[in-house]
Amino acid sequence: MDNEEQLPEKSMPNISVDNLIFAMQDGQLKVLLVKYKQGLAANKWGLIGHWVHQDESLDDAASRVISATTGVENFHLDQLGAFGKVDRYPGRRIITVVYYALVRFDEANIHQGENTHEVAWFNVHDVPELIFDHKDILNKCLGQLKYKVRHEPIGFSLLPEKFTLLQLQEIYEAILDKKLDKPNFRRKIQKMNLLINCKEKQTAVAHRAATLYRFDVHVYEKLKEFGFNFEY
Amino acid sequence: MDNEEQLPEKSMPNISVDNLIFAMQDGQLKVLLVKYKQGLAANKWGLIGHWVHQDESLDDAASRVISATTGVENFHLDQLGAFGKVDRYPGRRIITVVYYALVRFDEANIHQGENTHEVAWFNVHDVPELIFDHKDILNKCLGQLKYKVRHEPIGFSLLPEKFTLLQLQEIYEAILDKKLDKPNFRRKIQKMNLLINCKEKQTAVAHRAATLYRFDVHVYEKLKEFGFNFEY
């Protein structure tokens, strides 16, 4: 993050949170980036960050920033880790703790922050130049998502309640960054017994409407605990 | 960590690293703990921590502390994450970044730090009362190890170069905290093609000497990258 001229007294002087907010749009995995108004990062794109207040936990700081930017209150939130190379931030020693959130694109209602003059979604594989070590952080997070999506059913956090198998496959393709064989994908997913057939079809398409599914929360909770294996 | 009276000028005032150092001894997973001499934690057990110097990265701070305590220079090191509840440290706002290291017991040569008067290995399932949030941190790390050992071949970092299948099984049992069926375990492990038969037997035992194996570094590197699935 960068808005050092705005450091409020109630914040810790050398610890920030930076957040990667992901959503699926048009079959692409997008990440939300901001262009800052002032400070070292003026007019440059970066992750959405802020200082950590003295009276809030790191998790709360991340949630505060993510909710303020997206309007979403409930989302999958994970900590990626702390980044603390000596020279990561110009002229000062700043440690940043990075979180990533998975949100449903349609639920996000993007708000401009007072320190930013642009907020936009970018395809994760086609981002502009980023400030500081933010590109390294993004790359590390994409690696983490690849790992996670094969071992935890995190993809569902990006979907609406009812979805098609194609939408689900697109998430795996976007995160794993490769095309998957359709019959093979469906066989593997069905084998996990994660899906419940809604017995209804898509309504927004003109023809060849696909079947809608929702995921089985009960099985999902179990898989979150024990992990699963989705080999690709 | 706690040695606030010793905070050197060259350190960041509100960021520490705390380290969980694990090793296998007598079939048990052990964690290294210290008893501090002074400060808030005087005479209490805790994780091995220290302040982060202004001129060293977080990773380097963790490595410095781990090497100074164990004498080991090369070890499996991972960051568990940053812990930053508001009241985690009495009276001051301190964020701690936690690392865990897997070392080979025989290679560790434990050194007393100048701020500690005891350093000892404890069975991870039978630790004394710990300072601050260190018990929560240990529990979180044990959960992480359970997850990791099923998806990455991290267990080998705890073994000597040549080991028996029983030694390997003991690691999985200690980390997963349950007994595993011997033939079943061997079948699953062999299936991964991770092991090379050394064509020699243990020498230190009187009778029924077991075959020694070493792990296949080439396959290991691949598995580290792509993950594997060890279902238990």
Side-chain angles (χ1 to χ4, degrees):
Chain A
M1 62 83 53
D2 180 70
N3 55 347
E4 58 176 330
E5 291 169 30
Q6 301 277 323
L7 178 65
E9 261 185 54
K10 62 177 176 177
S11 298
M12 303 186 80
N14 54 355
I15 298 172
S16 61
V17 284
D18 277 299
N19 304 287
L20 294 138
I21 304 171
F22 295 105
M24 284 296 293
Q25 186 196 19
D26 300 333
Q28 297 185 344
L29 183 66
K30 301 278 179 90
V31 62
L32 200 60
L33 300 174
V34 294
K35 202 180 247 185
Y36 287 98
K37 268 189 192 155
Q38 55 197 13
L40 290 166
N43 285 312
K44 292 180 189 152
W45 290 100
L47 303 182
I48 299 162
H50 208 266
W51 304 106
V52 177
H53 297 171
Q54 291 283 3
D55 61 355
E56 71 185 348
S57 69
L58 294 169
D59 291 5
D60 288 347
S63 295
R64 168 173 58 81
V65 177
I66 294 166
S67 290
T69 311
T70 64
V72 181
E73 295 288 339
N74 289 307
F75 42 82
H76 177 107
L77 184 69
D78 258 324
Q79 192 194 99
L80 181 66
F83 291 75
K85 284 201 177 146
V86 175
D87 59 356
R88 61 169 296 279
Y89 192 99
R92 280 167 66 195
R93 185 75 200 274
I94 309 276
I95 306 288
T96 193
V97 182
V98 178
Y99 285 81
Y100 61 96
L102 306 179
V103 304
R104 300 189 169 93
F105 188 81
D106 293 338
E107 285 178 14
N109 185 4
I110 304 308
H111 296 273
Q112 207 80 255
E114 55 186 45
N115 305 315
T116 59
H117 62 63
E118 226 178 314
V119 188
W121 293 102
F122 288 87
N123 184 319
V124 295
H125 303 296
D126 187 18
V127 295
E129 199 181 324
L130 300 180
I131 54 173
F132 314 151
D133 54 356
H134 289 193
K135 189 69 190 289
D136 293 339
I137 291 172
L138 171 63
N139 287 338
K140 180 154 187 187
C141 194
L142 293 176
Q144 174 82 341
L145 283 180
K146 274 190 194 185
Y147 182 87
K148 279 239 174 186
V149 83
R150 289 191 288 114
H151 301 305
E152 291 175 48
I154 54 166
F156 296 101
S157 306
L158 296 159
L159 288 169
E161 197 198 334
K162 297 175 180 181
F163 51 84
T164 68
L165 292 180
L166 179 62
Q167 284 178 297
L168 186 58
Q169 182 172 340
E170 283 173 345
I171 289 176
Y172 280 83
E173 289 182 336
I175 292 178
L176 295 171
D177 197 19
K178 62 175 170 189
K179 284 279 165 202
L180 303 178
D181 175 67
K182 186 167 141 181
N184 209 12
F185 175 82
R186 293 187 174 202
R187 192 169 42 74
K188 288 186 183 188
I189 281 288
Q190 298 278 18
K191 227 175 69 181
M192 290 172 199
N193 291 315
L194 258 174
L195 301 181
I196 295 173
N197 189 324
C198 297
K199 312 226 154 130
E200 36 178 315
K201 299 262 182 184
Q202 278 178 300
T203 52
V205 293
H207 59 117
R208 287 178 65 91
T211 303
L212 291 169
Y213 291 84
R214 57 191 174 83
F215 70 86
D216 187 326
V217 180
H218 182 71
V219 174
Y220 179 74
E221 290 300 325
K222 272 191 116 149
L223 285 180
K224 270 206 291 197
E225 197 178 332
F226 295 107
F228 74 155
N229 195 47
F230 190 75
E231 271 179 53
Y232 262 104
Chain B
M1 62 83 52
D2 181 70
N3 56 347
E4 58 176 327
E5 293 171 29
Q6 300 277 323
L7 178 64
E9 261 184 54
K10 61 178 176 178
S11 299
M12 303 186 80
N14 54 355
I15 299 171
S16 62
V17 284
D18 277 300
N19 304 288
L20 294 138
I21 304 170
F22 296 105
M24 285 295 292
Q25 186 197 19
D26 298 335
Q28 297 185 343
L29 183 66
K30 301 278 179 89
V31 61
L32 201 59
L33 300 174
V34 293
K35 200 180 250 186
Y36 286 99
K37 268 189 192 156
Q38 54 197 16
L40 290 166
N43 286 312
K44 293 179 190 152
W45 291 99
L47 303 182
I48 299 162
H50 209 266
W51 304 106
V52 177
H53 297 171
Q54 291 284 3
D55 62 355
E56 70 184 348
S57 69
L58 294 169
D59 291 5
D60 287 348
S63 295
R64 167 173 58 81
V65 177
I66 295 166
S67 289
T69 312
T70 64
V72 181
E73 294 289 337
N74 289 307
F75 41 82
H76 177 107
L77 183 70
D78 258 325
Q79 192 195 97
L80 182 65
F83 291 75
K85 283 200 177 146
V86 175
D87 59 357
R88 61 169 296 278
Y89 192 100
R92 280 168 67 195
R93 185 74 200 275
I94 310 276
I95 306 288
T96 193
V97 182
V98 178
Y99 286 81
Y100 62 95
L102 306 179
V103 304
R104 300 190 168 92
F105 188 81
D106 292 339
E107 285 178 13
N109 186 3
I110 304 308
H111 296 273
Q112 208 81 255
E114 54 186 47
N115 306 314
T116 58
H117 61 63
E118 227 178 315
V119 188
W121 293 103
F122 288 87
N123 184 318
V124 294
H125 304 296
D126 187 19
V127 295
E129 198 181 327
L130 301 180
I131 53 172
F132 314 151
D133 54 356
H134 289 193
K135 189 69 190 285
D136 293 340
I137 290 172
L138 171 62
N139 286 338
K140 180 154 188 188
C141 194
L142 292 176
Q144 173 81 341
L145 282 180
K146 273 189 194 185
Y147 181 88
K148 279 238 173 186
V149 83
R150 289 192 288 111
H151 301 304
E152 291 175 49
I154 54 165
F156 296 101
S157 305
L158 296 159
L159 288 169
E161 198 199 332
K162 297 175 180 181
F163 50 84
T164 67
L165 292 180
L166 178 63
Q167 284 178 297
L168 185 58
Q169 181 172 341
E170 283 173 345
I171 289 175
Y172 280 83
E173 290 183 335
I175 292 178
L176 295 171
D177 196 20
K178 63 177 171 187
K179 282 280 165 202
L180 303 179
D181 175 68
K182 186 167 143 180
N184 208 13
F185 174 83
R186 293 187 174 203
R187 192 171 40 75
K188 287 186 184 188
I189 281 288
Q190 298 278 16
K191 227 175 70 181
M192 289 172 200
N193 291 316
L194 258 174
L195 302 180
I196 296 174
N197 189 323
C198 297
K199 313 227 155 134
E200 37 180 313
K201 301 264 183 184
Q202 280 176 298
T203 51
V205 293
H207 58 118
R208 287 178 67 89
T211 304
L212 290 170
Y213 292 84
R214 58 189 174 84
F215 70 85
D216 187 325
V217 179
H218 182 71
V219 174
Y220 178 75
E221 289 300 325
K222 271 191 119 146
L223 285 179
K224 270 205 293 197
E225 195 177 336
F226 296 106
F228 74 155
N229 196 48
F230 189 74
E231 271 178 54
Y232 261 105

